[in-house]
């Protein structure tokens, strides 16, 4: 196996439940006390709806191939390639949201993190000293890619 592609989003059962609950409560509050026109005029409802639409639209697409690891954060114009030959070390690890202050494109005490959910990721240490954590939901497939492209001496796993 020498190619793997993963697509992740912020959407989970919890985000869907929260979206339905909050939008439902806002709708009920205004519809119970007035008309549909009051709902249409409520700025808070529309801002909340736009935030949830944005969360559902954002995707982290990661592609592993012979060149390296390609990162694309959709819909943002964010494309990066981390080449295998530029990596000093690459291994799977668990992380805490406290390490980076949440999910997304984040900076933390241990470098850059690009994640959307979960607590497992691929930790890269580049030859320049830069550290990058890339979130993954499929650690088995990523481990097979690491085994394929990196020698045994250059990787470790603590997942």
């Amino acid at each position: 196996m020498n190619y793997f592609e993963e697509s992740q989003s912020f959407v989970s059962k919890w985000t869907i439940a929260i979206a339905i609950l909050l939008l439902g409560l806002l709708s009920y509050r205004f519809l119970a006390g007035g008309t549909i026109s009051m709902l249409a005029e409520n700025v808070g409802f529309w801002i909340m709806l736009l935030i949830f639409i944005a969360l559902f639209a954002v995707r982290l697409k990661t592609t592993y191939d012979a060149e390296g690891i390609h990162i694309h954060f959709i819909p943002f114009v964010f494309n990066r390639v981390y080449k295998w030959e530029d990596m000093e070390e690459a291994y799977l690890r668990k992380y805490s949201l406290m390490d980076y202050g949440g999910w997304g494109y984040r900076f933390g005490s241990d470098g850059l993190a690009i994640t959307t959910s979960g607590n497992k990721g691929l930790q890269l240490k580049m030859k320049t000293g830069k550290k990058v954590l890339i979130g993954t939901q499929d650690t088995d497939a990523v481990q097979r890619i690491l085994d394929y492209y990196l020698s045994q001496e250059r990787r470790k796993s603590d997942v």
Side-chain angles (χ1 to χ4, degrees):
M1 175 175 170
N2 56 8
Y3 179 86
F4 174 64
E5 185 174 288
E6 182 175 18
S7 183
Q8 303 173 64
S9 73
F10 289 107
V11 177
S12 70
K13 292 176 186 176
W14 290 106
T15 55
I16 292 170
I18 290 169
I20 290 170
L21 179 67
L22 287 177
L23 293 173
L25 285 173
L26 284 171
S27 299
Y28 176 77
R29 180 176 162 219
F30 290 100
L31 292 176
T35 64
I36 293 177
S37 65
M38 289 179 67
L39 178 63
E41 295 170 2
N42 184 283
V43 176
F45 173 84
W46 293 108
I47 290 173
M48 186 74 67
L49 182 63
L50 288 174
I51 289 170
F52 284 119
I53 289 171
L55 282 176
F56 288 98
V58 174
R59 301 206 60 77
L60 173 60
K61 183 178 173 187
T62 310
T63 306
Y64 302 81
D65 63 16
E67 182 182 12
I69 303 167
H70 304 259
I71 304 293
H72 186 75
F73 223 155
I74 300 165
F76 308 109
V77 183
F78 175 82
N79 294 301
R80 292 276 194 283
V81 178
Y82 297 101
K83 296 183 178 187
W84 298 116
E85 63 266 16
D86 295 337
M87 295 176 201
E88 181 178 313
E89 195 173 14
Y91 57 93
L92 291 166
R93 76 174 186 97
K94 288 184 180 180
Y95 65 92
S96 164
L97 287 179
M98 301 309 290
D99 294 342
Y100 299 96
W103 291 302
Y105 185 84
R106 313 292 293 197
F107 293 96
S109 60
D110 206 22
L112 171 68
I114 308 164
T115 62
T116 57
S117 62
N119 66 347
K120 295 178 184 168
L122 174 60
Q123 181 70 62
L124 305 178
K125 182 177 179 189
M126 309 307 286
K127 291 179 180 175
T128 62
K130 180 179 176 181
K131 291 182 177 181
V132 180
L133 177 75
I134 303 166
T136 184
Q137 300 301 310
D138 194 345
T139 55
D140 293 338
V142 173
Q143 186 63 60
R144 285 191 297 272
I145 287 290
L146 292 178
D147 291 342
Y148 185 85
Y149 286 112
L150 300 176
S151 65
Q152 291 287 344
E153 302 85 52
R154 292 181 56 198
R155 68 167 179 83
K156 65 180 181 180
S157 179
D158 63 356
V159 172

